[in-house]
Amino acid sequence: MQLYSTKRVSPDVDLKEAVLKGLPPDNGLYMPYEMFHLPPSFFEELPQMSFNEMAINITKHIVGEDIPEKEVEDIINSAYNFDAPLVDLGDIKVLELFQGPTLAFKDFGARFMGRLMGYFLKGSKDQVNILVATSGDTGSAVAHGFLNVEGIHVTILYPKGKVSDIQEKQFTTLGANITALEVDGTFDDCQRLVKTAFLDKELNQKLVLSSANSINIARLIPQSFYYFWAYRQLKDQSLPLYFSIPSGNFGNLTACLFAEAMGLPVKKIIAATNANSIVPEYLESGLFQPRTSVSTISNAMDVGNPSNFARIMDIYSNDLEIIKEDIVGYAFNDSETARCIQDVYKEKGYLLCPHTAVGYLAIQKFLEEHPSPANAVVLSTAHPVKFGEVVEPLINAKIEIPERLKDMLGSEKKSIAISSDFNELKKWLLNK
Ligand SMILES: *Cc1c(COP(=O)(O)O)cnc(C)c1O
């Protein structure tokens, strides 16, 4: 498969180069030329397929000759051993994307990317060092996604005392090819250390450094799988299909557009944001005005300049009128989000995480405006237990920690303490 840069200055690349580079040198984003419809036989056979069989079919369709079939099967089968069930709450259905090891949908992208990078690096003599700064969630998804991938070492930098206990345990108890550095500083210090390392001449001469960037195309491709999986689970596929997507960087929404391009009959996409409402405002006014993000209780969506917006504009050739036929946007504040968590818990006995609640509010509003029968699906991006400090006081109850997390919480934290001085990081990397 060939990919181009959305800025159209850098040359086209193949999948391997797009995945290993992450970003084109012209600062655009890589986009695939080919996003063809899946053949009718795919949809005929879909009702009999398992998630992995479906994912293998879609991946083969997208990557073509770039990866041997056997390798595609190995990548998918080792990446996915968890489900994405569609839970029926009456007029609204919830697609639970949090059944993976770190309890958030980012597992789908990170686990595929880890294995794909591992495949592309097979046989190369240099070990690749992935450096990640995290304030919590990215670190755990990347750590689990790259765990035991040959040829890759992952170093995670996190701010001491500033991540939750669950988050810290998710990337400090793994061992193997994952090292956690506990930085005596802030998240900004961690980001600065990583950026400085990528620019450091000596480090780059002696080590192969790479990032597990969230806008890597290898994270988007696998996120298209679960839209088909939601469709596969519908009782009446003939009704109009709506997806409400709680959004920050809009990777998840871009993946929905990929699924649509491959023939999934999506009638409307609902872009749901918190107070960082840059995209809903753009859909309203036609003006894209990025700004500094504000903090909310759905903090994984606190993004003031959504990086995948360029991909969305590219798909629609910047035509706002056509975008508005497909996508509608809504934004909600923290008190509306909190009330939604309480209401749904009381009325349906179902607990939403703050991000999912924003998506729930958006689809509720859309259904009020379009009340005819439909398959209204909201993506549940994280398990509520990850946001216990927000959710528990709202419902006045303790959230049960999933069994598979209990083992991890009992394991010993292993991390290396460093200061926020770059030379200390550099010395550690060189002597590792
Ligand atoms: C990352 C994240 C989002 C936002 O997804 P984008 O693809 O960046 O729009 C939403 N919810 C949760 C829980 C997340 O971790």
Side-chain angles (χ1 to χ4, degrees):
M1 84 192 267
Q2 284 288 106
L3 298 104
Y4 61 91
S5 163
T6 51
K7 290 241 167 98
R8 293 190 165 71
V9 177
S10 301
D12 291 353
V13 293
D14 62 9
L15 182 62
K16 177 175 177 175
E17 196 174 341
V19 170
L20 295 181
K21 265 209 181 120
L23 277 177
D26 64 7
N27 262 324
L29 298 172
Y30 282 125
M31 279 292 277
Y33 277 107
E34 306 100 3
M35 266 298 166
F36 301 128
H37 263 236
L38 286 148
S41 60
F42 171 84
F43 290 94
E44 281 154 27
E45 289 157 22
L46 184 59
Q48 280 80 47
M49 288 184 204
S50 66
F51 181 92
N52 286 17
E53 286 164 350
M54 178 201 71
I56 288 165
N57 267 286
I58 298 171
T59 308
K60 285 179 182 168
H61 173 77
I62 296 177
V63 305
E65 310 279 283
D66 286 19
I67 309 171
E69 294 199 353
K70 177 75 176 67
E71 294 287 347
V72 170
E73 288 162 16
D74 289 351
I75 289 169
I76 297 294
N77 288 329
S78 86
Y80 304 120
N81 55 0
F82 47 90
D83 195 12
L86 190 65
V87 177
D88 199 334
L89 298 183
D91 50 344
I92 294 172
K93 297 172 175 61
V94 179
L95 183 65
E96 292 187 347
L97 301 175
F98 54 71
Q99 309 264 356
T102 76
L103 309 184
F105 81 95
K106 290 193 172 68
D107 283 329
F108 283 91
R111 292 173 72 80
F112 182 91
M113 172 155 91
R115 282 152 186 80
L116 193 60
M117 272 191 162
Y119 163 70
F120 283 137
L121 291 169
K122 229 182 249 174
S124 79
K125 54 189 184 321
D126 297 317
Q127 187 189 55
V128 171
N129 285 279
I130 293 191
L131 301 182
V132 198
T134 187
S135 56
D137 273 359
T138 308
S140 50
V142 170
H144 282 262
F146 285 82
L147 180 63
N148 294 323
V149 173
E150 245 172 81
I152 298 181
H153 186 96
V154 179
T155 304
I156 292 174
L157 289 84
Y158 73 100
K160 179 180 171 177
K162 295 191 178 65
V163 301
S164 75
D165 194 35
I166 288 188
Q167 287 175 327
E168 185 177 30
K169 282 281 168 72
Q170 284 188 319
F171 50 75
T172 58
T173 57
L174 294 169
N177 60 329
I178 313 294
T179 308
L181 299 181
E182 185 174 17
V183 176
D184 191 3
T186 62
F187 172 57
D188 290 340
D189 288 321
C190 298
Q191 273 194 310
R192 172 182 50 81
L193 288 173
V194 168
K195 278 190 188 147
T196 313
F198 284 127
L199 296 173
D200 188 86
K201 270 219 174 82
E202 191 189 356
L203 271 183
N204 281 282
Q205 273 162 8
K206 295 188 173 155
L207 300 172
V208 183
L209 298 178
S210 179
S211 74
N213 210 300
S214 68
I215 48 192
N216 195 302
I217 191 73
R219 283 176 65 162
L220 289 190
I221 290 171
Q223 285 180 231
S224 68
F225 302 156
Y226 45 71
Y227 292 99
F228 289 95
W229 192 242
Y231 176 72
R232 149 91 161 66
Q233 295 177 71
L234 295 172
K235 288 198 188 76
D236 181 357
Q237 293 177 333
S238 68
L239 293 174
L241 175 56
Y242 309 141
F243 283 112
S244 177
I245 308 174
S247 295
N249 257 323
F250 284 77
N252 219 353
L253 194 146
T254 306
C256 186
L257 298 176
F258 286 179
E260 220 183 339
M262 288 188 277
L264 188 69
V266 183
K267 178 84 178 162
K268 199 65 113 180
I269 297 173
I270 296 148
T273 72
N274 57 30
N276 296 283
S277 53
I278 293 64
V279 171
E281 282 166 28
Y282 163 76
L283 293 168
E284 190 74 37
S285 69
L287 297 174
F288 182 66
Q289 294 176 305
R291 52 178 184 256
T292 310
S293 66
V294 295
S295 298
T296 73
I297 56 171
S298 47
N299 59 13
M301 292 159 37
D302 293 348
V303 179
N305 188 3
S307 41
N308 283 294
F309 186 72
R311 282 192 168 115
I312 297 171
M313 295 310 281
D314 191 84
I315 290 170
Y316 289 101
S317 308
N318 297 298
D319 190 329
L320 178 62
E321 290 315 306
I322 305 181
I323 297 180
K324 278 161 74 166
E325 282 169 22
D326 280 1
I327 306 177
V328 52
Y330 300 104
F332 298 92
N333 63 32
D334 277 357
S335 58
E336 292 169 309
T337 308
R339 200 169 332 118
C340 174
I341 293 171
Q342 291 174 318
D343 289 349
V344 174
Y345 186 68
K346 222 182 288 159
E347 287 157 24
K348 317 250 179 189
Y350 188 84
L351 188 57
L352 303 166
C353 92
H355 310 80
T356 309
V358 172
Y360 196 96
L361 284 164
I363 201 139
Q364 259 184 334
K365 189 154 178 184
F366 183 79
L367 289 176
E368 272 166 35
E369 293 166 7
H370 304 81
S372 48
N375 287 313
V377 178
V378 55
L379 270 60
S380 179
T381 51
H383 192 296
V385 80
K386 287 192 96 168
F387 304 93
E389 337 69 87
V390 174
V391 174
E392 286 180 349
L394 288 172
I395 58 163
N396 232 327
K398 273 273 192 238
I399 310 171
E400 182 72 33
I401 294 179
E403 213 44 56
R404 63 193 187 286
L405 229 69
K406 285 188 183 150
D407 280 351
M408 191 196 67
L409 288 173
S411 320
E412 192 195 344
K413 159 185 159 183
K414 281 180 237 119
S415 64
I416 296 168
I418 65 166
S419 74
S420 60
D421 174 5
F422 174 68
N423 286 312
E424 202 174 327
L425 172 67
K426 182 170 173 177
K427 211 164 106 193
W428 183 81
L429 285 169
L430 290 172
N431 294 330
K432 178 170 65 68

